[in-house]
Amino acid sequence: MIYAAGNLTRHATRMMVVGALLLSGHVWAGSNPEVDRANALYGAGNYQEALDVYDRLAKEQPDNPALQFNRGAALYQLGDLPKAREAFEQAGVLSEDAQLQARSAYNLGNCAFKEGQEKVAQDPDAAMASLNRSMGYYKDALARDKSIDAAAHNLEMVKRTIQELRRQQRQQEQERQQKEQQQKQQEQQKKEETKEKLDELIEEQQQQNQQSEQAAQQQRTQQSDPSQPAPTPEQMEAMKQQQEQTRDKTEDLAEQMTSPGDPAPEPESKSSAKDAAEKQKEAEEHLKNQNAEAANKAQEEALEKLKEARKALDAEEKEEQQSEEQPSAEDNKNKNQQEQPEKPEEKSGENNKPEETGKMDTPDDGTPPPDANARDILNQEKRNKEQRDLRRMIGVAPVEKDW
């Protein structure tokens, strides 16, 4: 457990009493009855009444660090951590007493620790920052007064709390990744099931198209030869019911192709499936009216739309995979920064144009480059000098150095 100002433990109470005795003895030495009364109220747990007295006295003595410290302790007990922190900070700044400064730092550590505890659920990063601040305060308290055992204890507890919080964050991250992986697997399974259902619908529609095509052929034959049999009304009704069942499956499948409330535009696969259902409905009406040829035409269009939906599903899945594999713009930016060599810093006023063949750089002293005639003379003189040096090397024997 963490020793904090106000914890109802023997050690915590002892620490608060030590703080109160320290303040009274160093500042008023018990000579101020109002401070003694406020301290008594604080000791009895009447923190608001004690704070009222501390506030009134602090207005009269705004530079008194002891009153600020006592105000901070009462505010801490009342749960007003921001104001308690301000009071302890003022106490530490105003005081020249090392012990009071140490105890102010200690209680600042308690404030930061408690703030961190309150932020863990809503904002783990902010909680971690508060816990790290509390470590700094406890270290500061120990640096000023090594006798504050509670500061060393709290420091160790904060370290363990940070370790536990980091462990929980890692666990939550692993759980999040597992959840995402499960979700991806479920989505992939749903896609596979959708493909299978579409394949089944295509097969059903093909069979129904063959039936309506045969019925249409019979109707045409019967028109030219009344002696030939035509499809009976019962047969046409049976084909209508089969088409109706296929349409119900098509409509249900179209609704399952996107999640409810998905703000993304309707995918082509779903649009094609919905169009197929509309054509199937038209076929039902023609079958009801005993028009097999018109029904067959609508069914052929429905079959084509179902095939388009199946093809669109494959294309959409491929596009999604490519999108997942493609690095983000931020990843590309970081990769480019790593691959590109660092360019030298350009100094202000320098000419950064690429060098041109046959032109001389401007000398460092700022003088303009020589013209073409002068450059030829310099080059000729350079070649003459090289020839003279070469003749000397050939015609003169080396001399041993004897010095």
Side-chain angles (χ1 to χ4, degrees):
M1 96 182 262
I2 186 119
Y3 296 135
N7 279 352
L8 299 180
T9 64
R10 181 178 303 176
H11 195 99
T13 303
R14 183 177 66 80
M15 285 301 300
M16 291 308 303
V17 170
V18 169
L21 291 175
L22 171 67
L23 296 177
S24 299
H26 277 253
V27 179
W28 290 285
S31 60
N32 190 321
E34 288 294 311
V35 174
D36 293 340
R37 185 171 71 87
N39 289 346
L41 290 170
Y42 180 91
N46 298 322
Y47 303 119
Q48 185 59 56
E49 296 181 31
L51 177 62
D52 294 339
V53 178
Y54 292 141
D55 284 342
R56 177 170 55 81
L57 295 175
K59 290 180 180 179
E60 299 173 359
Q61 304 176 52
D63 295 334
N64 190 319
L67 289 174
Q68 295 298 332
F69 181 89
N70 285 359
R71 285 185 66 251
L75 288 165
Y76 180 94
Q77 300 289 3
L78 292 170
D80 195 341
L81 297 180
K83 289 185 178 180
R85 184 174 62 249
E86 292 178 3
F88 288 132
E89 288 175 349
Q90 285 187 327
V93 171
L94 294 173
S95 178
E96 296 180 358
D97 184 276
Q99 289 183 326
L100 179 55
Q101 291 175 347
R103 280 157 178 75
S104 297
Y106 167 77
N107 279 345
L108 282 170
N110 290 342
C111 290
F113 181 85
K114 193 168 184 180
E115 288 174 338
Q117 286 181 314
E118 294 176 352
K119 296 174 182 177
V120 167
Q122 292 78 14
D123 192 345
D125 292 336
M128 187 72 73
S130 295
L131 292 174
N132 283 322
R133 284 196 299 272
S134 70
M135 287 181 58
Y137 286 129
Y138 290 139
K139 289 179 181 179
D140 184 30
L142 288 172
R144 297 175 185 275
D145 187 352
K146 297 184 182 299
S147 66
I148 307 180
D149 297 335
H153 175 84
N154 287 6
L155 179 60
E156 183 63 26
M157 292 303 297
V158 173
K159 291 179 180 179
R160 294 180 184 179
T161 303
I162 291 176
Q163 291 176 353
E164 176 62 18
L165 181 57
R166 287 174 177 168
R167 186 193 67 79
Q168 292 178 3
Q169 288 178 327
R170 289 194 297 268
Q171 182 178 354
Q172 290 174 358
E173 178 63 19
Q174 291 175 355
E175 292 175 354
R176 184 189 65 80
Q177 292 177 353
Q178 291 175 357
K179 187 176 180 180
E180 288 182 354
Q181 184 64 24
Q182 291 176 354
Q183 185 176 359
K184 288 182 180 180
Q185 292 175 352
Q186 292 174 355
E187 291 176 353
Q188 184 61 33
Q189 183 179 359
K190 181 181 176 181
K191 292 175 183 177
E192 295 300 326
E193 292 175 353
T194 301
K195 291 178 183 179
E196 292 177 1
K197 290 179 181 179
L198 258 180
D199 291 338
E200 293 174 358
L201 287 173
I202 290 173
E203 184 176 354
E204 284 184 18
Q205 192 63 63
Q206 285 175 337
Q207 294 174 356
Q208 293 169 17
N209 289 10
Q210 292 174 0
Q211 293 176 359
S212 63
E213 185 178 3
Q214 292 175 359
Q217 181 63 34
Q218 288 176 347
Q219 286 181 345
R220 288 193 296 270
T221 302
Q222 199 272 342
Q223 289 176 359
S224 61
D225 186 359
S227 64
Q228 297 296 325
T232 64
E234 291 77 14
Q235 291 175 331
M236 299 293 288
E237 177 63 24
M239 287 190 291
K240 172 183 172 296
Q241 291 179 358
Q242 290 179 353
Q243 185 62 84
E244 185 177 357
Q245 292 175 358
T246 303
R247 176 174 61 84
D248 290 340
K249 295 178 184 179
T250 304
E251 290 176 343
D252 291 341
L253 186 61
E255 289 301 319
Q256 297 173 8
M257 285 182 175
T258 54
S259 302
D262 190 351
E266 186 174 84
E268 182 180 354
S269 57
K270 181 173 183 176
S271 299
S272 297
K274 291 170 66 176
D275 292 342
E278 291 295 327
K279 293 299 180 181
Q280 290 166 345
K281 189 174 182 179
E282 290 181 16
E284 293 173 32
E285 293 296 323
H286 294 307
L287 291 171
K288 180 180 178 181
N289 296 327
Q290 307 296 308
N291 190 342
E293 186 171 358
N296 180 255
K297 181 179 179 182
Q299 287 174 329
E300 288 293 339
E301 293 177 353
L303 178 61
E304 187 63 28
K305 289 296 180 180
L306 288 173
K307 291 180 178 180
E308 290 179 4
R310 183 64 174 83
K311 185 177 180 181
L313 268 181
D314 291 335
E316 289 163 5
E317 183 177 4
K318 184 177 180 180
E319 183 179 357
E320 184 177 349
Q321 291 175 351
Q322 291 176 346
S323 177
E324 291 177 355
E325 295 173 357
Q326 185 177 3
S328 63
E330 185 67 22
D331 293 337
N332 287 331
K333 180 180 178 181
N334 295 334
K335 183 178 179 180
N336 292 335
Q337 289 178 349
Q338 293 176 357
E339 293 179 352
Q340 292 179 355
E342 294 184 1
K343 297 181 179 180
E345 296 183 0
E346 299 176 352
K347 297 182 180 180
S348 176
E350 290 185 348
N351 184 358
N352 297 308
K353 295 181 180 180
E355 295 182 0
E356 299 181 13
T357 305
K359 292 187 177 181
M360 298 180 63
D361 294 336
T362 304
D364 294 338
D365 58 3
T367 57
D371 56 22
N373 293 333
R375 186 162 56 251
D376 293 341
I377 295 173
L378 290 174
N379 291 335
Q380 182 62 41
E381 178 60 26
K382 182 178 180 181
R383 288 194 293 270
N384 293 339
K385 183 176 183 299
E386 290 175 353
Q387 293 176 0
R388 290 196 299 270
D389 293 339
L390 180 61
R391 286 195 297 269
R392 284 198 300 269
M393 291 175 64
I394 295 174
V396 179
V399 179
E400 295 184 2
K401 297 179 180 178
D402 56 356
W403 59 86

